[in-house]
Amino acid sequence: MSEPVIRAENIVKKYGDFVAVDGISFEVQRGESFGLLGPNGAGKSTTMKMIAAVSTRTSGNLEVLGMDPNTDGPAIRSQLGVVPQEDNLDQELRVRENLITYGRFFGMSHAAVAKRADELLEFAQLTDRAKSKVEPLSGGMKRRLTIARSLMNDPQMLLLDEPTTGLDPQARHILWDRLFRLKEQGTTLVLTTHYMDEAEQLSDRIIVVDKGAIMAEGSPAQLIRQYSSKEVLEVRYGSDKNKTVAKSIADIGERQEILPDRILIYSDNGERDLAVITNRGHHPTTSLVRRSSLEDVFLRLTGRTLVE
Amino acid sequence: MKNVADIKADAEKPRRWGWWYVAELRLREMRGYVSYVVTSSFGNPLMYLLALGIGLANLIPQGIEGVPFLVFVAPALLMSTILTVGAEEGMYPVLSGFKWHKVFFAIHATPITPGQIVGGFLVHLTIRFAFTAGVFFGFLVAFGAVPFASGWLMIPIAILGAFSILTPLGAYAARLEDDTGQFALIQRLVVMPMFLFSGTFFPLSDVPDWLEWVGWVSPLWHATQLGRTVSYGAIEPIWLSATHLLILVAYAVIGGYFMHRSFVARLTR
């Protein structure tokens, strides 16, 4: 196996007394799509900043592309593409100018940035908006422009921090499609997200992070297999009744989670268990049988939901 | 995968030229407000010269310091205009790069270092100040308020003066989380008194003793005195002129050092 592109050993980041990242370790291989999944405030973005060589770690060892971000920040950054959580496009410039000026920061010639900008406008489906100002673009367009900007230097690794937060479903799917194409081309992707479907769609391997520490690691399928059941039956009886009913159906399924708004029953056959519940006379207001997701994994590991 | 030596070779060009790429970006951004820069560059001197040079000067026919009032006030007008722009550029554009548009974070995600961001910012402003001061100087020459031969030195003095106020303010603005009126206060309690009590319209010696310190701490007074010296000759001992220069350089360099530190702290936390 080749050298990992990221090797993190017990990295810690403290802000005064607050420990944002508490000794996490992981490796990312070249061409891999690696996700950090966790709720807001879990330490994902801080970890990402340390990888992106813009935030100095408090302790631990970190190597990115064989170099230490604390000492070789500019060299590491020359090989990265970064999509930050909040858009930081230059509002004073037009769409195409945003790409051109950004490419210059990597030492690209005027001719090279012009050619690359046109290719990436095509990739981001923004060619017809090349001369537009940034401000009137939709949220999805701004994200696509930010992704196009991050690709100006043909990066070895793309870092995406919550890439689709705040986008509507259609814009998310367009973005996922673009990112999936990059993944197919062999670009190493490292992304943070608190959306389980995003993590499942885009990641080959995931670490689940909470309160600055790693709770679990594996592929989405492995994690689901290890920490959840095949199916999940969700039943709702109304917020006052869920707890009461739960006592009478406690023996059904492999395990249960009683949330304020619903009861989750982890099972290998949700429909069968729903029939058992109904036969006992507990007719739920609504019910749903679905396959297990990373949300269930997270709930199992932390006792909390991702969007709590 | 590229090896470390190849990667470092890739990063060599931005390591050398990063400051210029940042200046290039800001010059391109300036296209969006170039009409403001040009209009204010031409409008400001014209208004000042008409109001003070032709209007107020008539009330002081004897002149000041042995020269006509217009000649006395001309260096101060140029300096105060450029230093005021310097103060403005050290506040909102700096905080905006961190807080509202976050452009500094975008730049720092590339091989560009915080020092190069500060460097490019200052290089762009050198060009901008040189343009505005150059236009102002042209008007002063046209109105016969300064001699061309030695007076052009007022342009670099004005740029230095602008940096002497810009960099300390930039250091402060880069540490601010939000503007909750601090900039307006600085305008009213720092920039405006500096304009009024720095020997701009009358010699500092005419200011009451208890207010003279404002002139001494004010970059504007030091820049203005230097401007007067290069415009109509030695008005004070050479050691005092050297002191003016030293104080301006000290403000600009120490301010620049702290501005750099503020940028590093904000961009790498």
Side-chain angles (χ1 to χ4, degrees):
Chain A
M1 191 180 275
S2 66
E3 280 287 294
V5 286
I6 302 174
R7 181 185 283 135
E9 287 172 9
N10 279 318
I11 53 170
V12 173
K13 178 73 184 185
K14 291 182 185 171
Y15 296 102
D17 291 337
F18 175 68
V19 183
V21 176
D22 193 10
I24 68 173
S25 304
F26 60 90
E27 285 187 357
V28 178
Q29 302 299 325
R30 183 171 170 73
E32 194 177 17
S33 183
F34 181 79
L36 290 93
L37 178 71
N40 292 331
K44 308 184 301 288
S45 295
T46 309
T47 304
M48 206 65 141
K49 282 183 183 172
M50 289 190 278
I51 297 169
V54 293
S55 179
T56 45
R57 64 187 180 279
T58 309
S59 63
N61 293 320
L62 179 61
E63 257 184 33
V64 179
L65 302 168
M67 290 171 285
D68 183 338
N70 280 9
T71 53
D72 289 311
I76 291 170
R77 296 198 297 270
S78 73
Q79 306 299 313
L80 302 181
V82 177
V83 179
Q85 193 167 349
E86 288 177 86
D87 284 321
N88 54 19
L89 295 161
D90 195 323
Q91 310 276 338
E92 313 263 7
L93 302 178
R94 311 262 159 181
V95 166
R96 187 169 179 272
E97 285 179 320
N98 260 278
L99 302 182
I100 284 174
T101 52
Y102 202 77
R104 292 284 290 156
F105 294 141
F106 295 89
M108 295 168 72
S109 68
H110 287 287
V113 289
K115 183 167 176 282
R116 184 81 177 139
D118 291 335
E119 288 167 5
L120 288 170
L121 284 172
E122 193 72 37
F123 171 79
Q125 298 166 302
L126 288 168
T127 304
D128 56 339
R129 304 301 294 264
K131 290 182 181 167
S132 164
K133 287 191 168 182
V134 170
E135 204 275 325
L137 298 182
S138 69
M141 285 175 174
K142 283 181 185 161
R143 289 315 267 170
R144 297 208 301 274
L145 179 58
T146 305
I147 289 174
R149 189 183 69 173
S150 73
L151 296 171
M152 279 300 289
N153 60 326
D154 195 11
Q156 291 201 48
M157 182 162 45
L158 192 59
L159 308 180
L160 303 126
D161 194 2
E162 304 277 356
T164 64
T165 297
L167 298 186
D168 63 52
Q170 193 194 2
R172 292 180 78 200
H173 282 283
I174 295 175
L175 208 69
W176 284 349
D177 169 62
R178 299 291 106 174
L179 293 175
F180 203 76
R181 282 169 199 234
L182 291 172
K183 182 165 143 43
E184 282 178 332
Q185 289 164 16
T187 308
T188 307
L189 300 182
V190 180
L191 81 148
T192 73
T193 182
H194 63 270
Y195 294 130
M196 58 192 173
D197 48 349
E198 186 158 276
E200 283 189 63
Q201 286 265 351
L202 296 174
S203 308
D204 301 324
R205 197 159 57 87
I206 286 168
I207 53 174
V208 180
V209 188
D210 188 35
K211 293 176 183 160
I214 295 177
M215 312 295 292
E217 180 175 351
S219 69
Q222 276 172 342
L223 288 171
I224 292 167
R225 236 184 352 259
Q226 191 175 347
Y227 294 101
S228 194
S229 55
K230 192 176 149 202
E231 290 184 345
V232 184
L233 166 63
E234 293 191 7
V235 285
R236 293 171 196 259
Y237 292 93
S239 40
D240 300 334
K241 294 182 190 162
N242 285 335
K243 259 190 179 170
T244 324
V245 177
K247 285 178 191 158
S248 338
I249 58 171
D251 58 317
I252 298 173
E254 297 167 13
R255 192 171 59 82
Q256 295 185 357
E257 291 281 353
I258 299 130
L259 304 179
D261 62 333
R262 66 211 141 120
I263 303 167
L264 305 182
I265 297 162
Y266 292 93
S267 159
D268 61 348
N269 188 336
E271 292 294 348
R272 181 200 62 209
D273 289 346
L274 179 60
V276 173
I277 290 172
T278 316
N279 287 340
R280 286 186 191 177
H282 299 297
H283 297 280
T285 321
T286 60
S287 63
L288 166 75
V289 176
R290 60 169 174 82
R291 71 179 182 91
S292 263
S293 74
L294 289 169
E295 177 91 39
D296 302 300
V297 172
F298 189 80
L299 190 61
R300 171 79 185 270
L301 289 169
T302 67
R304 294 182 296 122
T305 59
L306 275 165
V307 288
E308 213 161 51
Chain B
M1 188 163 116
K2 285 182 186 170
N3 63 39
V4 170
D6 288 344
I7 291 173
K8 288 189 175 175
D10 272 1
E12 190 55 28
K13 205 173 162 193
R15 192 182 72 76
R16 285 190 182 179
W17 293 102
W19 58 273
W20 173 247
Y21 301 144
V22 176
E24 205 177 272
L25 166 83
R26 297 197 70 89
L27 286 167
R28 197 185 269 266
E29 284 173 343
M30 206 171 81
R31 282 190 204 165
Y33 58 95
V34 72
S35 55
Y36 164 75
V37 174
V38 172
T39 313
S40 59
S41 297
F42 282 85
N44 271 340
L46 202 60
M47 282 193 297
Y48 273 134
L49 287 169
L50 290 175
L52 298 173
I54 297 171
L56 192 58
N58 286 334
L59 300 174
I60 313 166
Q62 73 281 16
I64 295 179
E65 291 184 344
V67 294
F69 181 70
L70 179 60
V71 174
F72 170 80
V73 85
L77 294 180
L78 188 148
M79 298 303 163
S80 63
T81 301
I82 306 303
L83 265 71
T84 306
V85 180
E88 282 168 11
E89 291 290 339
M91 292 190 283
Y92 288 105
V94 172
L95 184 59
S96 172
F98 290 112
K99 183 171 172 60
W100 298 301
H101 293 154
K102 300 180 188 294
V103 175
F104 295 145
F105 292 105
I107 301 173
H108 189 231
T110 71
I112 306 297
T113 63
Q116 290 174 320
I117 296 175
V118 175
F121 190 79
L122 298 184
V123 167
H124 156 248
L125 288 174
T126 303
I127 296 168
R128 183 175 166 191
F129 296 153
F131 173 76
T132 307
V135 172
F136 207 122
F137 177 67
F139 273 100
L140 295 181
V141 172
F143 274 68
V146 295
F148 181 82
S150 59
W152 67 269
L153 280 168
M154 288 199 295
I155 297 171
I157 294 167
I159 295 170
L160 174 62
F163 284 142
S164 71
I165 189 162
L166 182 151
T167 56
L169 284 176
Y172 170 70
R175 299 259 177 185
L176 275 185
E177 290 303 324
D178 204 353
D179 171 35
T180 50
Q182 293 95 324
F183 291 159
L185 267 184
I186 289 171
Q187 279 290 355
R188 291 192 178 102
L189 299 180
V190 179
V191 179
M192 185 58 81
M194 182 178 85
F195 182 64
L196 294 174
F197 303 112
S198 293
T200 315
F201 304 111
F202 43 85
L204 191 64
S205 52
D206 289 352
V207 172
D209 287 351
W210 61 272
L211 256 181
E212 251 189 45
W213 66 271
V214 176
W216 273 96
V217 299
S218 158
L220 178 56
W221 181 63
H222 299 290
T224 298
Q225 289 303 93
L226 281 174
R228 286 182 176 138
T229 301
V230 300
S231 170
Y232 54 88
I235 50 170
E236 50 191 21
I238 185 83
W239 66 264
L240 191 51
S241 298
T243 306
H244 294 316
L245 190 62
L246 270 178
I247 288 174
L248 290 180
V249 169
Y251 268 123
V253 170
I254 295 170
Y257 168 76
F258 282 104
M259 188 171 169
H260 177 241
R261 276 183 57 149
S262 299
F263 270 60
V264 170
R266 188 84 178 250
L267 290 169
T268 62
R269 71 187 175 191

